[in-house]
Amino acid sequence: FPSHDMASNGVSAKEKVDLPIVNKPASVRNINLISNVEPEDILVDGLSGLETNGKENWRWALGPATRVKFYIDPALPNQAHQVLLQFAFKNGLPIADQSVTVRLNGSVIRSYSSQEIAIHELTDANIVMNTKKGVNKLEISYGDWNHGKKNYGSNDSRKLAVVVMRFSLSGVNK
């Protein structure tokens, strides 16, 4: 378009076409739940406040489940709907028969048996999830927790399930 061809608001027709493309994010922004920044645009339930020993930060996952609701902009291209879940946890109490199941929008995407969890001091999950446009519901459920099936000897009144060392969501296509 010639530069003298101006739309009613004083922006050339070419600029009007380019602006939405320039301002559109290429993928989902990074969300880190093991930080002191509380994201305001997602809903989180079943996760304790941030704790630290001076060297490491963590949160306790609380039974029966940790739930995260997050939004995928429908304007993003389809390939931008892939989200990487990075979730590292320890069986901190420990709970002998602990199991962990990860669901996205009601579908199981990964389960960890008590045998898998017992083998590792830290269970490290890096899962690429295919989200949908709009609201997505991530649920991580636990086989048991303190004061669930029984008391695991902790004087803590919280429903402690696992210690979460890393918990983030980020777009795969950067």
Side-chain angles (χ1 to χ4, degrees):
F1 297 98
S3 60
H4 64 276
D5 182 11
M6 301 297 268
S8 60
N9 63 2
V11 177
S12 76
K14 181 173 177 21
E15 289 176 277
K16 248 186 146 171
V17 170
D18 288 347
L19 285 176
I21 296 168
V22 170
N23 293 331
K24 192 180 292 181
S27 65
V28 177
R29 70 176 183 81
N30 289 341
I31 299 168
N32 180 2
L33 295 174
I34 306 298
S35 74
N36 56 8
V37 176
E38 299 274 340
E40 293 181 10
D41 59 343
I42 65 169
L43 296 173
V44 180
D45 182 45
L47 201 60
S48 74
L50 190 67
E51 299 181 34
T52 186
N53 61 11
K55 292 186 290 185
E56 295 179 301
N57 293 336
W58 68 88
R59 293 182 191 269
W60 279 95
L62 306 175
T66 301
R67 296 176 183 89
V68 179
K69 282 187 184 179
F70 60 98
Y71 181 79
I72 299 296
D73 186 345
L76 291 174
N78 285 338
Q79 67 270 23
H81 294 189
Q82 285 194 325
V83 173
L84 175 64
L85 166 65
Q86 293 181 304
F87 184 69
F89 63 94
K90 298 178 182 180
N91 190 359
L93 287 179
I95 297 172
D97 292 326
Q98 186 60 285
S99 62
V100 174
T101 302
V102 180
R103 291 180 181 82
L104 180 65
N105 299 320
S107 297
V108 173
I109 56 175
R110 180 71 163 92
S111 293
Y112 296 89
S113 67
S114 58
Q115 292 82 10
E116 285 179 277
I117 294 169
I119 292 170
H120 308 288
E121 182 176 315
L122 181 71
T123 301
D124 204 353
N126 294 302
I127 304 169
V128 175
M129 305 183 300
N130 292 312
T131 62
K132 64 181 185 177
K133 294 178 180 184
V135 176
N136 287 267
K137 298 174 185 174
L138 175 66
E139 178 182 89
I140 303 171
S141 58
Y142 313 102
D144 202 3
W145 53 90
N146 195 32
H147 313 295
K149 294 176 184 171
K150 66 179 191 175
N151 182 340
Y152 288 94
S154 170
N155 292 330
D156 198 314
S157 63
R158 295 177 293 172
K159 298 177 180 181
L160 308 175
V162 297
V163 178
V164 181
M165 303 303 293
R166 192 172 44 157
F167 195 165
S168 67
L169 299 169
S170 59
V172 172
N173 300 309
K174 291 281 177 195

PDB file of all heavy atoms in Angstrom, residues 82-87 102-103 109-112 124-130 138 140 168-170 172:
ATOM      1  N   GLN A  82       1.125 -26.538  22.390  1.00  0.00           N
ATOM      2  CA  GLN A  82       1.912 -27.523  23.129  1.00  0.00           C
ATOM      3  C   GLN A  82       2.595 -26.820  24.299  1.00  0.00           C
ATOM      4  O   GLN A  82       3.238 -25.787  24.124  1.00  0.00           O
ATOM      5  CB  GLN A  82       2.952 -28.180  22.249  1.00  0.00           C
ATOM      6  CG  GLN A  82       2.359 -29.184  21.292  1.00  0.00           C
ATOM      7  CD  GLN A  82       3.432 -30.052  20.680  1.00  0.00           C
ATOM      8  OE1 GLN A  82       4.545 -29.598  20.425  1.00  0.00           O
ATOM      9  NE2 GLN A  82       3.111 -31.315  20.458  1.00  0.00           N
ATOM     10  N   VAL A  83       2.430 -27.396  25.477  1.00  0.00           N
ATOM     11  CA  VAL A  83       2.975 -26.825  26.703  1.00  0.00           C
ATOM     12  C   VAL A  83       3.842 -27.875  27.379  1.00  0.00           C
ATOM     13  O   VAL A  83       3.453 -29.045  27.480  1.00  0.00           O
ATOM     14  CB  VAL A  83       1.828 -26.368  27.645  1.00  0.00           C
ATOM     15  CG1 VAL A  83       2.353 -25.937  28.997  1.00  0.00           C
ATOM     16  CG2 VAL A  83       1.031 -25.239  26.996  1.00  0.00           C
ATOM     17  N   LEU A  84       5.009 -27.459  27.837  1.00  0.00           N
ATOM     18  CA  LEU A  84       5.908 -28.347  28.568  1.00  0.00           C
ATOM     19  C   LEU A  84       5.644 -28.197  30.060  1.00  0.00           C
ATOM     20  O   LEU A  84       5.769 -27.098  30.615  1.00  0.00           O
ATOM     21  CB  LEU A  84       7.367 -28.006  28.261  1.00  0.00           C
ATOM     22  CG  LEU A  84       8.412 -28.787  29.062  1.00  0.00           C
ATOM     23  CD1 LEU A  84       8.349 -30.279  28.746  1.00  0.00           C
ATOM     24  CD2 LEU A  84       9.807 -28.234  28.781  1.00  0.00           C
ATOM     25  N   LEU A  85       5.272 -29.306  30.690  1.00  0.00           N
ATOM     26  CA  LEU A  85       5.145 -29.372  32.146  1.00  0.00           C
ATOM     27  C   LEU A  85       6.460 -29.900  32.678  1.00  0.00           C
ATOM     28  O   LEU A  85       6.900 -30.991  32.295  1.00  0.00           O
ATOM     29  CB  LEU A  85       4.003 -30.304  32.557  1.00  0.00           C
ATOM     30  CG  LEU A  85       3.975 -30.725  34.029  1.00  0.00           C
ATOM     31  CD1 LEU A  85       3.721 -29.525  34.936  1.00  0.00           C
ATOM     32  CD2 LEU A  85       2.934 -31.815  34.254  1.00  0.00           C
ATOM     33  N   GLN A  86       7.106 -29.127  33.542  1.00  0.00           N
ATOM     34  CA  GLN A  86       8.302 -29.592  34.248  1.00  0.00           C
ATOM     35  C   GLN A  86       7.914 -29.706  35.714  1.00  0.00           C
ATOM     36  O   GLN A  86       7.588 -28.712  36.359  1.00  0.00           O
ATOM     37  CB  GLN A  86       9.459 -28.622  34.048  1.00  0.00           C
ATOM     38  CG  GLN A  86       9.922 -28.601  32.599  1.00  0.00           C
ATOM     39  CD  GLN A  86      11.086 -27.667  32.396  1.00  0.00           C
ATOM     40  OE1 GLN A  86      11.015 -26.489  32.717  1.00  0.00           O
ATOM     41  NE2 GLN A  86      12.161 -28.199  31.846  1.00  0.00           N
ATOM     42  N   PHE A  87       7.931 -30.944  36.216  1.00  0.00           N
ATOM     43  CA  PHE A  87       7.442 -31.244  37.554  1.00  0.00           C
ATOM     44  C   PHE A  87       8.414 -32.216  38.203  1.00  0.00           C
ATOM     45  O   PHE A  87       8.554 -33.352  37.751  1.00  0.00           O
ATOM     46  CB  PHE A  87       6.030 -31.854  37.446  1.00  0.00           C
ATOM     47  CG  PHE A  87       5.358 -32.128  38.759  1.00  0.00           C
ATOM     48  CD1 PHE A  87       4.948 -31.082  39.571  1.00  0.00           C
ATOM     49  CD2 PHE A  87       5.109 -33.428  39.170  1.00  0.00           C
ATOM     50  CE1 PHE A  87       4.299 -31.336  40.776  1.00  0.00           C
ATOM     51  CE2 PHE A  87       4.471 -33.692  40.367  1.00  0.00           C
ATOM     52  CZ  PHE A  87       4.057 -32.642  41.172  1.00  0.00           C
ATOM     53  N   VAL A 102      -0.911 -37.636  36.626  1.00  0.00           N
ATOM     54  CA  VAL A 102      -1.024 -36.331  35.980  1.00  0.00           C
ATOM     55  C   VAL A 102      -2.132 -36.416  34.940  1.00  0.00           C
ATOM     56  O   VAL A 102      -2.108 -37.300  34.075  1.00  0.00           O
ATOM     57  CB  VAL A 102       0.306 -35.927  35.299  1.00  0.00           C
ATOM     58  CG1 VAL A 102       0.186 -34.560  34.634  1.00  0.00           C
ATOM     59  CG2 VAL A 102       1.449 -35.933  36.316  1.00  0.00           C
ATOM     60  N   ARG A 103      -3.108 -35.499  35.049  1.00  0.00           N
ATOM     61  CA  ARG A 103      -4.214 -35.441  34.094  1.00  0.00           C
ATOM     62  C   ARG A 103      -4.291 -34.045  33.490  1.00  0.00           C
ATOM     63  O   ARG A 103      -4.084 -33.055  34.192  1.00  0.00           O
ATOM     64  CB  ARG A 103      -5.554 -35.719  34.787  1.00  0.00           C
ATOM     65  CG  ARG A 103      -5.744 -37.114  35.259  1.00  0.00           C
ATOM     66  CD  ARG A 103      -7.134 -37.292  35.940  1.00  0.00           C
ATOM     67  NE  ARG A 103      -7.320 -38.615  36.428  1.00  0.00           N
ATOM     68  CZ  ARG A 103      -6.846 -39.062  37.604  1.00  0.00           C
ATOM     69  NH1 ARG A 103      -6.184 -38.260  38.395  1.00  0.00           N
ATOM     70  NH2 ARG A 103      -7.054 -40.314  37.971  1.00  0.00           N
ATOM     71  N   ILE A 109      -2.296 -38.386  31.476  1.00  0.00           N
ATOM     72  CA  ILE A 109      -1.178 -38.272  30.542  1.00  0.00           C
ATOM     73  C   ILE A 109       0.084 -38.946  31.078  1.00  0.00           C
ATOM     74  O   ILE A 109       0.980 -39.258  30.312  1.00  0.00           O
ATOM     75  CB  ILE A 109      -0.900 -36.805  30.133  1.00  0.00           C
ATOM     76  CG1 ILE A 109      -0.656 -35.922  31.346  1.00  0.00           C
ATOM     77  CG2 ILE A 109      -2.029 -36.266  29.296  1.00  0.00           C
ATOM     78  CD1 ILE A 109      -0.254 -34.515  30.995  1.00  0.00           C
ATOM     79  N   ARG A 110       0.136 -39.214  32.402  1.00  0.00           N
ATOM     80  CA  ARG A 110       1.288 -39.936  32.969  1.00  0.00           C
ATOM     81  C   ARG A 110       0.946 -40.352  34.393  1.00  0.00           C
ATOM     82  O   ARG A 110       0.364 -39.586  35.152  1.00  0.00           O
ATOM     83  CB  ARG A 110       2.529 -39.046  32.965  1.00  0.00           C
ATOM     84  CG  ARG A 110       3.793 -39.670  33.532  1.00  0.00           C
ATOM     85  CD  ARG A 110       4.359 -40.759  32.607  1.00  0.00           C
ATOM     86  NE  ARG A 110       5.737 -41.090  32.918  1.00  0.00           N
ATOM     87  CZ  ARG A 110       6.112 -42.050  33.754  1.00  0.00           C
ATOM     88  NH1 ARG A 110       5.238 -42.765  34.417  1.00  0.00           N
ATOM     89  NH2 ARG A 110       7.396 -42.296  33.921  1.00  0.00           N
ATOM     90  N   SER A 111       1.317 -41.566  34.747  1.00  0.00           N
ATOM     91  CA  SER A 111       1.172 -42.058  36.121  1.00  0.00           C
ATOM     92  C   SER A 111       2.523 -42.541  36.613  1.00  0.00           C
ATOM     93  O   SER A 111       3.313 -43.095  35.836  1.00  0.00           O
ATOM     94  CB  SER A 111       0.163 -43.212  36.181  1.00  0.00           C
ATOM     95  OG  SER A 111      -1.117 -42.748  35.881  1.00  0.00           O
ATOM     96  N   TYR A 112       2.769 -42.334  37.893  1.00  0.00           N
ATOM     97  CA  TYR A 112       4.004 -42.796  38.540  1.00  0.00           C
ATOM     98  C   TYR A 112       3.596 -43.741  39.659  1.00  0.00           C
ATOM     99  O   TYR A 112       2.874 -43.355  40.584  1.00  0.00           O
ATOM    100  CB  TYR A 112       4.800 -41.618  39.117  1.00  0.00           C
ATOM    101  CG  TYR A 112       5.278 -40.671  38.038  1.00  0.00           C
ATOM    102  CD1 TYR A 112       4.477 -39.615  37.634  1.00  0.00           C
ATOM    103  CD2 TYR A 112       6.498 -40.862  37.407  1.00  0.00           C
ATOM    104  CE1 TYR A 112       4.903 -38.750  36.617  1.00  0.00           C
ATOM    105  CE2 TYR A 112       6.926 -40.015  36.401  1.00  0.00           C
ATOM    106  CZ  TYR A 112       6.119 -38.959  36.014  1.00  0.00           C
ATOM    107  OH  TYR A 112       6.524 -38.120  35.009  1.00  0.00           O
ATOM    108  N   ASP A 124      11.659 -36.771  38.265  1.00  0.00           N
ATOM    109  CA  ASP A 124      11.719 -35.610  37.385  1.00  0.00           C
ATOM    110  C   ASP A 124      10.854 -35.866  36.152  1.00  0.00           C
ATOM    111  O   ASP A 124      11.169 -36.742  35.357  1.00  0.00           O
ATOM    112  CB  ASP A 124      13.179 -35.370  36.965  1.00  0.00           C
ATOM    113  CG  ASP A 124      13.449 -33.944  36.566  1.00  0.00           C
ATOM    114  OD1 ASP A 124      12.503 -33.153  36.470  1.00  0.00           O
ATOM    115  OD2 ASP A 124      14.625 -33.623  36.332  1.00  0.00           O
ATOM    116  N   ALA A 125       9.772 -35.123  36.033  1.00  0.00           N
ATOM    117  CA  ALA A 125       8.849 -35.304  34.907  1.00  0.00           C
ATOM    118  C   ALA A 125       8.939 -34.110  33.974  1.00  0.00           C
ATOM    119  O   ALA A 125       8.787 -32.972  34.409  1.00  0.00           O
ATOM    120  CB  ALA A 125       7.427 -35.444  35.429  1.00  0.00           C
ATOM    121  N   ASN A 126       9.221 -34.381  32.709  1.00  0.00           N
ATOM    122  CA  ASN A 126       9.169 -33.363  31.661  1.00  0.00           C
ATOM    123  C   ASN A 126       8.183 -33.890  30.632  1.00  0.00           C
ATOM    124  O   ASN A 126       8.502 -34.808  29.885  1.00  0.00           O
ATOM    125  CB  ASN A 126      10.553 -33.150  31.031  1.00  0.00           C
ATOM    126  CG  ASN A 126      11.515 -32.552  32.031  1.00  0.00           C
ATOM    127  OD1 ASN A 126      11.282 -31.488  32.575  1.00  0.00           O
ATOM    128  ND2 ASN A 126      12.591 -33.270  32.302  1.00  0.00           N
ATOM    129  N   ILE A 127       6.995 -33.326  30.605  1.00  0.00           N
ATOM    130  CA  ILE A 127       5.903 -33.859  29.799  1.00  0.00           C
ATOM    131  C   ILE A 127       5.404 -32.777  28.845  1.00  0.00           C
ATOM    132  O   ILE A 127       5.013 -31.686  29.280  1.00  0.00           O
ATOM    133  CB  ILE A 127       4.740 -34.318  30.702  1.00  0.00           C
ATOM    134  CG1 ILE A 127       5.225 -35.352  31.728  1.00  0.00           C
ATOM    135  CG2 ILE A 127       3.593 -34.862  29.863  1.00  0.00           C
ATOM    136  CD1 ILE A 127       4.213 -35.654  32.816  1.00  0.00           C
ATOM    137  N   VAL A 128       5.411 -33.079  27.552  1.00  0.00           N
ATOM    138  CA  VAL A 128       4.821 -32.172  26.569  1.00  0.00           C
ATOM    139  C   VAL A 128       3.328 -32.488  26.501  1.00  0.00           C
ATOM    140  O   VAL A 128       2.942 -33.634  26.247  1.00  0.00           O
ATOM    141  CB  VAL A 128       5.486 -32.325  25.181  1.00  0.00           C
ATOM    142  CG1 VAL A 128       4.772 -31.455  24.149  1.00  0.00           C
ATOM    143  CG2 VAL A 128       6.962 -31.946  25.263  1.00  0.00           C
ATOM    144  N   MET A 129       2.514 -31.473  26.749  1.00  0.00           N
ATOM    145  CA  MET A 129       1.067 -31.653  26.775  1.00  0.00           C
ATOM    146  C   MET A 129       0.435 -30.907  25.602  1.00  0.00           C
ATOM    147  O   MET A 129       0.831 -29.775  25.308  1.00  0.00           O
ATOM    148  CB  MET A 129       0.494 -31.107  28.086  1.00  0.00           C
ATOM    149  CG  MET A 129       1.119 -31.681  29.334  1.00  0.00           C
ATOM    150  SD  MET A 129       0.361 -31.075  30.863  1.00  0.00           S
ATOM    151  CE  MET A 129       0.623 -29.304  30.751  1.00  0.00           C
ATOM    152  N   ASN A 130      -0.539 -31.532  24.968  1.00  0.00           N
ATOM    153  CA  ASN A 130      -1.311 -30.878  23.908  1.00  0.00           C
ATOM    154  C   ASN A 130      -2.548 -30.255  24.536  1.00  0.00           C
ATOM    155  O   ASN A 130      -3.497 -30.972  24.870  1.00  0.00           O
ATOM    156  CB  ASN A 130      -1.692 -31.887  22.825  1.00  0.00           C
ATOM    157  CG  ASN A 130      -0.479 -32.366  22.066  1.00  0.00           C
ATOM    158  OD1 ASN A 130       0.350 -31.572  21.637  1.00  0.00           O
ATOM    159  ND2 ASN A 130      -0.351 -33.674  21.922  1.00  0.00           N
ATOM    160  N   LEU A 138      -5.175 -28.754  34.615  1.00  0.00           N
ATOM    161  CA  LEU A 138      -4.135 -29.714  34.947  1.00  0.00           C
ATOM    162  C   LEU A 138      -4.400 -30.196  36.368  1.00  0.00           C
ATOM    163  O   LEU A 138      -4.612 -29.377  37.269  1.00  0.00           O
ATOM    164  CB  LEU A 138      -2.759 -29.039  34.861  1.00  0.00           C
ATOM    165  CG  LEU A 138      -1.561 -29.867  35.303  1.00  0.00           C
ATOM    166  CD1 LEU A 138      -1.343 -31.051  34.371  1.00  0.00           C
ATOM    167  CD2 LEU A 138      -0.315 -28.991  35.347  1.00  0.00           C
ATOM    168  N   ILE A 140      -2.877 -32.977  39.292  1.00  0.00           N
ATOM    169  CA  ILE A 140      -1.891 -33.960  39.724  1.00  0.00           C
ATOM    170  C   ILE A 140      -2.437 -34.541  41.028  1.00  0.00           C
ATOM    171  O   ILE A 140      -2.553 -33.823  42.029  1.00  0.00           O
ATOM    172  CB  ILE A 140      -0.500 -33.319  39.906  1.00  0.00           C
ATOM    173  CG1 ILE A 140      -0.066 -32.658  38.588  1.00  0.00           C
ATOM    174  CG2 ILE A 140       0.510 -34.365  40.371  1.00  0.00           C
ATOM    175  CD1 ILE A 140       1.181 -31.810  38.691  1.00  0.00           C
ATOM    176  N   SER A 168       6.676 -26.005  36.593  1.00  0.00           N
ATOM    177  CA  SER A 168       6.533 -24.894  35.638  1.00  0.00           C
ATOM    178  C   SER A 168       5.802 -25.349  34.382  1.00  0.00           C
ATOM    179  O   SER A 168       5.793 -26.536  34.052  1.00  0.00           O
ATOM    180  CB  SER A 168       7.890 -24.305  35.276  1.00  0.00           C
ATOM    181  OG  SER A 168       8.652 -25.228  34.546  1.00  0.00           O
ATOM    182  N   LEU A 169       5.209 -24.385  33.715  1.00  0.00           N
ATOM    183  CA  LEU A 169       4.546 -24.590  32.434  1.00  0.00           C
ATOM    184  C   LEU A 169       5.161 -23.576  31.468  1.00  0.00           C
ATOM    185  O   LEU A 169       5.324 -22.406  31.817  1.00  0.00           O
ATOM    186  CB  LEU A 169       3.047 -24.335  32.535  1.00  0.00           C
ATOM    187  CG  LEU A 169       2.267 -25.229  33.488  1.00  0.00           C
ATOM    188  CD1 LEU A 169       0.856 -24.683  33.691  1.00  0.00           C
ATOM    189  CD2 LEU A 169       2.198 -26.642  32.931  1.00  0.00           C
ATOM    190  N   SER A 170       5.513 -24.031  30.284  1.00  0.00           N
ATOM    191  CA  SER A 170       6.069 -23.113  29.285  1.00  0.00           C
ATOM    192  C   SER A 170       5.697 -23.594  27.889  1.00  0.00           C
ATOM    193  O   SER A 170       5.481 -24.781  27.669  1.00  0.00           O
ATOM    194  CB  SER A 170       7.594 -23.005  29.430  1.00  0.00           C
ATOM    195  OG  SER A 170       8.193 -24.267  29.279  1.00  0.00           O
ATOM    196  N   VAL A 172       6.192 -24.766  24.184  1.00  0.00           N
ATOM    197  CA  VAL A 172       7.224 -25.575  23.542  1.00  0.00           C
ATOM    198  C   VAL A 172       7.842 -24.818  22.379  1.00  0.00           C
ATOM    199  O   VAL A 172       9.042 -24.869  22.152  1.00  0.00           O
ATOM    200  CB  VAL A 172       6.635 -26.929  23.070  1.00  0.00           C
ATOM    201  CG1 VAL A 172       7.642 -27.694  22.235  1.00  0.00           C
ATOM    202  CG2 VAL A 172       6.204 -27.742  24.267  1.00  0.00           C
TER     203      VAL A 172
END
